Amino acid sequence: MEYKSRILIGVLVFPMLFTTLSSLASEPAKTSSIPIKIQNIKNRTFNQDFQEVGKITAVDSTALTFSASEKLITKCFPDGAYVHKGDVIAKLDSTQPKAELQKSEIQDAIERSKLHRMLALIQKQPDAISKQDIENQQLQTHLVQVDVQQKKDALLNYQLIAPFNGRLTNFKYSIGSRISSDDVVVSLIKNDPVQVTYSISQQELAEAASNQQVTISVDAYKDKHFTGVVNYIAPEVDPQSGRIDVQANIKNTDKLLIPGMFAKVTQHSAKNVTYPIVSQTAVIVDGDKRYVWLYDGKRVKQQPVVLGDNTNDGYVVIKKGLDVNDKVVVAGQQNLKPDSVVKLQASTASALPSSSAEKTTQQSSPSNKPIQKITDSSNQGAKHEAA
């Protein structure tokens, strides 16, 4: 009897349960809105700056040698001293050439005295001396004068004279050493200006030109920047590297830059480029795809983009896919789907305070960093683009 009662209750309850479930299924599903923040896309103007690594070299440098052979008797400057053009740097023993010069000067005085007396005599007695004798004495006097000048020039061979302003290296010989005419005694390096040599890619060549401004920094003075201009662009591509050699003269007034130093070089192009930029957090990486979420005022959609350069301040250049005033989701996009219902949060982000305020020029301070390339991640799965 109890068993039959349970069956009867089941028969009565099941239709009621079925009716309840049907009514619940017929009601529309209630979906929650996903909160998002958006960013208005704006343009930014950049210089086409090239960043390379170069090496400091001397504009002028020379190994100094005497033009004579004798003992070194005087070093007029210490090692590493700064000298000016025309300064005597070192001297050889010049006892013998000085004696020969003195002998020639005495002979010169004798010959000039003879000529003077002969000319004085013919003033009183025109026929006392023949014209040929006078001409011979004039010739002899001239030859002795030439010999004196040659002896003076030869005496300079016993002196080491600075051909330009610069800094000496260390002397290779000590006082008393016998020096031959082919021995390098010391080297002289011009240190203002100096030169930085580096290379650019074939793609950058189109934007490079002589007289463009260059800014460099070196590890020895990390907070100091040095400026100069491009003075040479190679007329051919290096067959081994596939790049083009460039040289620039750099002001070195404080004599801080030393040949052989490595330098970080920024060459400033005169041409500017303008691109839309977006926060790096807005870019989604999904395998080989790069996209952002666009907000149209009601819903969102995926928008493929082509990335450009990292601006070093949290933004990335968009070369294709976005326009000025597009609204891009910068927060909440991790929960979005193409059919998601979204709710715009009260506070929204703006891309830039002003496009003109961000515009960089060739005269910008060294703290303005040029844009740098970003490398797409090869990791699979959707994630945010990182700087």
Side-chain angles (χ1 to χ4, degrees):
M1 190 67 183
E2 182 180 353
Y3 176 73
K4 291 181 179 180
S5 298
R6 289 178 179 178
I7 293 175
L8 180 59
I9 292 172
V11 171
L12 294 175
V13 170
F14 181 76
M16 295 174 62
L17 180 61
F18 179 78
T19 302
T20 302
L21 292 174
S22 298
S23 62
L24 290 174
S26 63
E27 292 181 2
K30 295 182 180 179
T31 57
S32 59
S33 299
I34 299 175
I36 62 171
K37 290 184 180 180
I38 63 170
Q39 179 182 76
N40 293 328
I41 297 300
K42 292 185 179 181
N43 283 341
R44 184 185 288 184
T45 301
F46 301 94
N47 270 350
Q48 289 286 73
D49 293 347
F50 319 141
Q51 282 193 327
E52 305 292 348
V53 175
K55 192 172 184 179
I56 303 297
T57 60
V59 173
D60 289 317
S61 63
T62 183
L64 300 178
T65 61
F66 286 102
S67 298
S69 299
E70 235 337 316
K71 288 191 301 182
L72 181 65
I73 62 169
T74 304
K75 291 190 290 187
C76 304
F77 293 92
D79 293 347
Y82 186 85
V83 298
H84 295 86
K85 181 179 179 180
D87 286 347
V88 177
I89 297 171
K91 297 179 182 180
L92 294 178
D93 183 1
S94 58
T95 303
Q96 183 177 351
K98 282 181 178 179
E100 293 177 354
L101 174 60
Q102 186 178 13
K103 182 179 178 181
S104 293
E105 288 176 336
I106 292 173
Q107 187 62 38
D108 176 53
I110 293 172
E111 297 300 333
R112 284 190 289 108
S113 178
K114 285 182 181 180
L115 179 60
H116 179 71
R117 289 198 303 269
M118 292 174 71
L119 293 176
L121 181 58
I122 63 173
Q123 288 291 331
K124 297 179 180 179
Q125 302 176 15
D127 297 330
I129 304 174
S130 67
K131 183 178 181 181
Q132 184 176 357
D133 290 340
I134 296 295
E135 291 176 350
N136 288 339
Q137 185 59 43
Q138 288 175 332
L139 177 60
Q140 183 63 27
T141 303
H142 176 70
L143 290 175
V144 173
Q145 289 175 346
V146 170
D147 185 63
V148 170
Q149 186 60 49
Q150 288 178 342
K151 294 289 194 301
K152 289 181 178 179
D153 293 341
L155 191 59
L156 294 176
N157 294 334
Y158 292 77
Q159 297 181 349
L160 210 57
I161 299 175
F164 50 79
N165 296 350
R167 190 176 298 278
L168 297 174
T169 60
N170 61 311
F171 284 87
K172 308 299 182 185
Y173 296 92
S174 301
I175 300 297
S177 301
R178 184 169 183 83
I179 308 298
S180 298
S181 58
D182 57 349
D183 291 334
V184 175
V185 179
V186 68
S187 294
L188 179 63
I189 299 173
K190 188 173 185 177
N191 51 9
D192 184 26
V194 292
Q195 199 170 70
V196 60
T197 59
Y198 56 100
S199 63
I200 60 176
S201 68
Q202 296 182 41
Q203 181 180 3
E204 293 170 331
L205 179 62
E207 308 300 333
S210 294
N211 298 319
Q212 286 179 343
Q213 186 181 18
V214 169
T215 303
I216 72 167
S217 62
V218 295
D219 289 340
Y221 312 103
K222 294 183 178 180
D223 297 330
K224 189 174 181 63
H225 293 80
F226 306 85
T227 60
V229 293
V230 174
N231 67 309
Y232 171 77
I233 299 176
E236 60 181 356
V237 176
D238 186 290
Q240 294 183 342
S241 65
R243 296 170 66 83
I244 297 93
D245 292 332
V246 179
Q247 295 176 356
N249 283 345
I250 305 296
K251 295 178 182 178
N252 191 29
T253 308
D254 297 332
K255 314 297 189 296
L256 299 178
L257 298 176
I258 300 174
M261 281 181 166
F262 288 98
K264 297 175 183 178
V265 184
T266 301
Q267 181 175 334
H268 305 287
S269 170
K271 297 181 180 179
N272 295 330
V273 291
T274 301
Y275 290 110
I277 62 170
V278 69
S279 173
Q280 294 178 26
T281 59
V283 181
I284 307 297
V285 178
D286 187 1
D288 294 334
K289 298 178 181 179
R290 304 292 183 270
Y291 65 89
V292 297
W293 288 96
L294 279 184
Y295 176 69
D296 63 4
K298 295 181 179 179
R299 292 183 178 272
V300 293
K301 68 173 183 177
Q302 288 184 3
Q303 176 61 40
V305 293
V306 177
L307 300 183
D309 300 326
N310 181 357
T311 65
N312 293 323
D313 59 357
Y315 294 91
V316 62
V317 169
I318 302 297
K319 288 191 172 182
K320 186 177 180 181
L322 292 179
D323 294 317
V324 175
N325 295 326
D326 282 346
K327 295 176 174 57
V328 174
V329 179
V330 293
Q333 66 269 46
Q334 65 274 13
N335 299 319
L336 296 178
K337 296 180 181 179
D339 58 349
S340 295
V341 177
V342 296
K343 179 181 179 181
L344 192 62
Q345 290 186 325
S347 61
T348 59
S350 60
L352 287 172
S354 172
S355 177
S356 60
E358 293 293 336
K359 184 175 181 180
T360 59
T361 64
Q362 289 186 5
Q363 290 75 30
S364 61
S365 65
S367 61
N368 290 334
K369 298 181 180 179
I371 53 181
Q372 296 179 340
K373 299 291 182 183
I374 55 173
T375 303
D376 292 337
S377 172
S378 59
N379 295 337
Q380 299 297 321
K383 62 181 181 179
H384 291 90
E385 181 74 16

